[in-house]
Every structure is written in structure tokens, then in C-alpha cells.
Amino acid sequence: MKRKKIAELLKTTAPIDNILLKGWIRTKRDSKNFSFIEVNDGSCLKNMQIVVDEIISDYVEIKKLTTGSAVAVSGSLVPSQGGGQQWEVRAAKIDIISIAPETFPLQKKRHTDEYLRTIAHLRPRTNKYGAIFRIRSELSWAVHQFFRDRGFRYIHTPVITGSDCEGAGELFRVTTLNPPMPMNSNGKIDFSKDFFGAESNLTVSGQLSAEMFALSLGDVYTFGPTFRAENSNTSRHVAEFWMIEPEMAFCDLAGNMDLGEALIKNLIRFAIDTCADDLNLFARFVDKTLEKTLENIISSDFFRIPYKDAIDILLGSKESFEFNLSYGTDLQSEHERYLTEKYFKKPIIIYDYPKTIKPFYMRLNDDGETVGAMDILVPRIGELIGGSQREERLDVLEKRMVGGGLSKESYWWYLDSRRYGTVPHSGFGLGFERLLMLITGVSNIRDVIPFPRTPGNIDF
RNA sequence: UCCCCAGUAGCUCAGUCGGCAGAGCAAGUGGCUGUUAACCACUGGGUCCGCGGUUCAAGUCCGUGCUGGGGAGCCA
């Protein structure tokens, strides 16, 4: 008999004889002559209630089953006589696949997220984490669907990159050298002896590679792991995370904003439509305002405001901020929160930042002072998207690089794209985990990624 | 990396002024004919985070280290 998944069985409209299901026991309630066993197989949030009568063979053994044990149940799917569920399985036979000893750390009660993080290998067996990772899977698929529907090509940019990246944070070095390290005459490590013959690192962004493909295939995107060796200890940072980076040829900053806003709204809509059961768990137990928050985001136009005007609002507000700000400084968390949570009460897009606080590749505006950058900020999370129109003019780009202390030689291939058939183009990066936090209301990024990597923590 | 808070049973926590180590849940045993985090009864369960100090006496006070959480910076 072919195994059926619980998600499939629960969709039925009529009883079914002779079904087989397999899963893990979440809880068991015994009476004298029969037992109720709740089985979950991971296919959906809901358990299947199994009714086991004492006349079944091996009932003595079945009574010993514990939370966490694995079973194969054959029987018939019938309307439930109890109130909590529509269907239940009347067991004809239960095969015990394995028994979890009483040391099984998950109990049939609520655990804290902090405790579950210490057993990250078992937490997907809980309702909440099962739901998170089903939603994560569905949304990953929706990302590809969104871009494919719009004619974007999916590019696999390298995970290992050459040394001189765009200076976005600390890098994880990739090496096959072992101590004692070979040294050159300057007393530095001699990377010419290393695997690639040069210093190499894990990528902090696929952007520069993606630009090359945007200037070939038109509209492209990457969606892959990204690594930052920053010693960040916050609920919004991990050392390994997944980033979505579209890059579009013949696209200006306004088009870039349009795509970012559409992507966020589309993915939220998708989650609401496709993951209703799982999402409902978060609306009930994690964030009571979740439904309203998500509806507000998809129904409102993101407010677009130049950096200068945002500063004016902050300077003119009666709010007392811990950090002073002025034209030319970057916004602090408290400023972002004030704007999105108190002033506008919806997502905003801040654009045209001073060139002094943004990287070399962002396009210089006609005022000579600002660049065509745009950040999409959302309530509670802060920066969800950071992007820009890219500098397509070779001479301007070279000047910006030199000004930023970067060597033109190591970016020869990047500059080539501006030498041969250069065109205006734009793109952005969206932190996938931060999007998941927004959609589920989960407040710690470590709880929306299977095995989080943070400073001092590489378990699992 | 900086600031703040916490660490007591398997889990979540209480522990008063420094004076016998506690509860709920879980687990184990028994009971119960439709349960819903089932229920009822009984039983077992402790390196009070580690190290050092003060004291007749430290879970409690002091110092220090470790771990976790919240916030900040950096950013997605």
C-alpha cells in the first residue's frame, strides 16, 4: 500500500478505506481500553488523530509509545466523533518504526525559542518551526516564480570570490594553506602559494557578477548564500544568510523601486494565499497584529522620499533621539523606526543618499553630491532592501573608485562592462531571512534559518 | 566590539532580611469507555552556570570568567 501524506488526507471530502500513513507521535492520550495518538508527518501543520482500540494486535506495545516515536499506521479515514478535528484514522494495524526514549527533549508543551535554538536539529519537529520552514520553502519557490513571470534569468554567481571585493563588511577567507603559512618578503602571507594563487574569500554579494549578466541577458537575478564575517550580535544579523539580488539593464532608479515594491508585495500576497494554515499559527501565537500588518503593506503605496527630506522630517520632529543627525550622516535604527513605525506607519523608500556614505558603484546624480541609491525600510525590521542605479559612465566610475582607495586594475573586468556597450542599469539586494521575519512576525533572525551561523556558534 | 538583564529539577519559573531546595508541567507507576497541551492519584528527580572571596552560615552578598537574551554599531 502506498503511503499517503496527512496534508493530502485532510483534503478529502469522503471517508477512505485502507490508507497507510507514517509519521512521528506528537502526543498520546490513553484511556483504559483505547488510545488517541496524534501523528504528524511534516506535510502540514495539522496532526492526524489515530484511534486505537485495545482489540488491535500488540496493543500492549502500542500503549508504551512515547512522544517523538515513529509509527506506520494502516486503517481507514473516517469522520471524527470528537470535536477538534474533521477526520481521524481508525487504526487496523500500527507498526512501530522506532521508539523515542524518555530523554526526547521536545515535550508536548510550549518551549522557549532560546531553548529550541540549543536543539536546532530537533526544532523543526515542533509546530512553530515546522511552519516556519514550510513557509520558507514555499517563498523560495515564489521568488523564482516572480522573476520567471517577468522574464528574468536566474544566475548562479560564484560563492568563492577574489580578494578585492566591494568592501561590504568583513570577509571569510577561503584557503587551503596550513600553518606554518608561507610568507613573502613583506612579512605577509604569500597567497601566490594558495589554491587560487591569490587571496580569496566567500562572497558578500553577487552584485558585480550579476551586473555582467544583466548587461548580457537583460534582466537577471541571483538567490543564494551570502557571507559576512562581521562580529554582529543582534536579532537581525547572521554570518551566513540568503540574499535575492535582481539586476536590470536599461532600468533607472524609479524602475528599481517599482520592482522592489512589487517583489515584497507579491511574496506577502503569496504567503497569505498559499500558506494560510501555517501563517495563521503566527497570527495567533507570535504576533497578534500580523494579519493587519501584512494587509497594510500589500494595500499601501510605499512612500518614496529623498534622503534630504527624510532628514528634514527627523530634524523637525519632537522625538528625542539618542543620536544626533545632520545632512551627510547615515540614519540610525531609531530614525528608521520613527519614520516607518510612527511617522508614515508603512514601508518607505528613501533615495538619493549623499555619495560620502554609499559605495563607489552607485550612480552619481547631477548635483554631484548624491547618488541614486534607494533603501526600502519596513516597520519593525528596518532595512529590507538596499539598492541603487549603477554608475554606467566609465570616467565617473573610475574617479569614484580611486577616491574610495580601490585599485582599477583588480576591477578591470568590471570596468570593461562600462567600456563596451555600457547602459544604465539598476539592482538591489533583499535579505531573504528579514523578509521571513516580516511575514511571520518572528523577531529573531536565528529562528527563520535552519542552522544559524553567528559569532561563536557553528554547532549543527 | 560596547551598554543593560538573566543563569535554581528534563522544560518554564518562584525562592522574602543571608538561616532545612520549592511549584507547575514533563517522566515513571496505577486508575479511567471519545480524548483535544485529556483527566485523577502516587513516586522518583538538584554540580542552585564555573572559579575565587566575605561570613558561624551563601541559591541569596562581592569579584571574575562562561553561556543566553535585549539594545547599539555594521548591514541584508
Side-chain angles (χ1 to χ4, degrees):
Chain A
M1 204 189 313
K2 190 169 180 293
R3 172 169 82 101
K4 284 206 162 51
K5 295 200 176 176
I6 291 170
E8 184 190 347
L9 290 172
L10 289 176
K11 282 185 199 148
T12 191
T13 52
I16 313 175
D17 285 334
N18 296 320
I19 57 114
L20 171 67
L21 70 90
K22 300 183 182 183
W24 295 269
I25 294 177
R26 283 293 175 79
T27 180
K28 181 165 67 79
R29 297 178 286 274
D30 292 319
S31 287
K32 189 178 185 184
N33 304 315
F34 59 94
S35 302
F36 296 101
I37 302 177
E38 292 212 24
V39 173
N40 187 283
D41 67 0
S43 64
C44 59
L45 182 66
K46 289 198 177 78
N47 303 325
M48 182 63 82
Q49 173 163 285
I50 314 294
V51 188
V52 190
D53 196 87
E54 63 174 337
I55 59 168
I56 201 171
S57 62
D58 295 330
Y59 184 65
V60 180
E61 294 304 309
I62 288 158
K63 267 207 141 170
K64 292 184 198 156
L65 283 169
T66 54
T67 298
S69 299
V71 291
V73 180
S74 43
S76 46
L77 187 75
V78 298
S80 178
Q81 296 171 32
Q85 56 286 313
Q86 194 183 355
W87 298 99
E88 65 189 15
V89 169
R90 189 156 287 278
K93 186 163 182 290
I94 294 188
D95 289 320
I96 298 169
I97 299 173
S98 65
I99 291 192
E102 75 256 6
T103 52
F104 183 60
L106 292 172
Q107 300 171 359
K108 42 191 179 189
K109 62 163 217 164
R110 193 188 162 278
H111 288 292
T112 60
D113 293 322
E114 290 78 17
Y115 172 67
L116 291 170
R117 237 170 263 154
T118 69
I119 49 168
H121 57 308
L122 297 173
R123 67 180 179 169
R125 294 195 201 181
T126 63
N127 287 339
K128 180 175 170 182
Y129 287 84
I132 287 172
F133 294 114
R134 276 187 298 272
I135 291 172
R136 185 178 170 116
S137 170
E138 288 300 303
L139 280 174
S140 303
W141 192 85
V143 166
H144 292 298
Q145 188 185 42
F146 174 88
F147 285 117
R148 192 163 189 267
D149 286 349
R150 285 161 182 75
F152 282 64
R153 308 298 178 175
Y154 176 32
I155 307 298
H156 300 118
T157 53
V159 168
I160 303 173
T161 64
S163 61
D164 220 27
C165 263
E166 68 266 33
E170 295 291 315
L171 304 165
F172 285 105
R173 180 174 296 156
V174 174
T175 182
T176 54
L177 293 176
N178 289 307
M181 305 296 255
M183 297 301 210
N184 62 24
S185 50
N186 300 330
K188 299 245 173 84
I189 296 171
D190 182 3
F191 288 109
S192 71
K193 301 275 197 306
D194 205 348
F195 185 88
F196 296 107
E199 185 176 355
S200 44
N201 298 287
L202 294 178
T203 183
V204 293
S205 166
Q207 179 199 318
L208 302 191
S209 313
E211 281 187 52
M212 301 306 105
F213 278 79
L215 298 174
S216 316
L217 305 186
D219 294 331
V220 303
Y221 70 104
T222 74
F223 183 11
T226 306
F227 307 89
R228 304 269 168 95
E230 293 289 347
N231 189 14
S232 303
N233 291 287
T234 81
S235 55
R236 301 183 309 283
H237 291 88
V238 277
E240 178 184 272
F241 63 99
W242 285 62
M243 189 153 63
I244 299 156
E245 295 180 284
E247 198 68 39
M248 296 165 284
F250 313 109
C251 178
D252 62 11
L253 193 65
N256 205 18
M257 295 182 204
D258 291 343
L259 186 82
E261 182 169 343
L263 175 61
I264 291 169
K265 287 177 172 174
N266 181 283
L267 292 175
I268 292 175
R269 180 86 261 164
F270 183 91
I272 291 171
D273 292 345
T274 312
C275 310
D277 271 5
D278 286 325
L279 205 52
N280 187 41
L281 179 147
F282 297 95
R284 283 169 61 202
F285 300 118
V286 176
D287 176 6
K288 299 246 186 271
T289 67
L290 187 63
E291 207 173 330
K292 221 177 238 176
T293 302
L294 296 181
E295 288 294 342
N296 176 44
I297 292 174
I298 53 181
S299 63
S300 61
D301 291 330
F302 294 8
F303 195 87
R304 302 182 184 193
I305 180 171
Y307 163 90
K308 192 171 169 300
D309 295 356
I311 296 289
D312 281 338
I313 289 173
L314 291 165
L315 288 175
S317 85
K318 294 189 178 68
E319 196 83 1
S320 63
F321 296 115
E322 189 188 340
F323 292 92
N324 290 327
L325 80 169
S326 57
Y327 301 105
T329 60
D330 215 346
L331 300 184
Q332 309 289 326
S333 286
E334 57 177 348
H335 305 131
E336 296 179 355
R337 292 185 74 114
Y338 173 77
L339 290 172
T340 56
E341 292 171 14
K342 289 187 178 167
Y343 194 89
F344 290 107
K345 294 189 170 69
K346 64 177 181 177
I348 61 173
I349 308 180
I350 302 181
Y351 62 97
D352 287 350
Y353 282 77
K355 65 179 180 185
T356 49
I357 57 172
K358 290 292 182 184
F360 74 92
Y361 52 75
M362 295 189 174
R363 191 179 194 280
L364 191 65
N365 288 325
D366 291 343
D367 59 15
E369 294 301 321
T370 61
V371 290
M374 67 103 182
D375 286 353
I376 301 187
L377 311 179
V378 296
R380 207 170 59 84
I381 312 286
E383 184 177 345
L384 186 58
I385 279 180
S388 67
Q389 182 168 343
R390 317 306 190 188
E391 182 55 74
E392 85 280 12
R393 296 161 296 187
L394 181 64
D395 55 329
V396 182
L397 184 61
E398 286 182 328
K399 217 173 280 174
R400 291 266 288 148
M401 284 178 72
V402 172
L406 297 161
S407 85
K408 288 195 285 184
E409 288 69 33
S410 48
Y411 286 95
W412 64 271
W413 53 274
Y414 187 70
L415 293 170
D416 257 9
S417 66
R418 274 63 169 173
R419 210 166 265 132
Y420 308 118
T422 189
V423 301
H425 61 288
S426 300
F428 62 79
L430 182 153
F432 187 53
E433 284 76 17
R434 289 190 181 171
L435 180 79
L436 283 166
M437 292 169 73
L438 177 72
I439 289 178
T440 59
V442 168
S443 56
N444 195 312
I445 197 168
R446 298 176 182 101
D447 298 333
V448 296
I449 189 165
F451 298 109
R453 271 74 178 96
T454 51
N457 190 346
I458 191 66
D459 281 345
F460 310 109

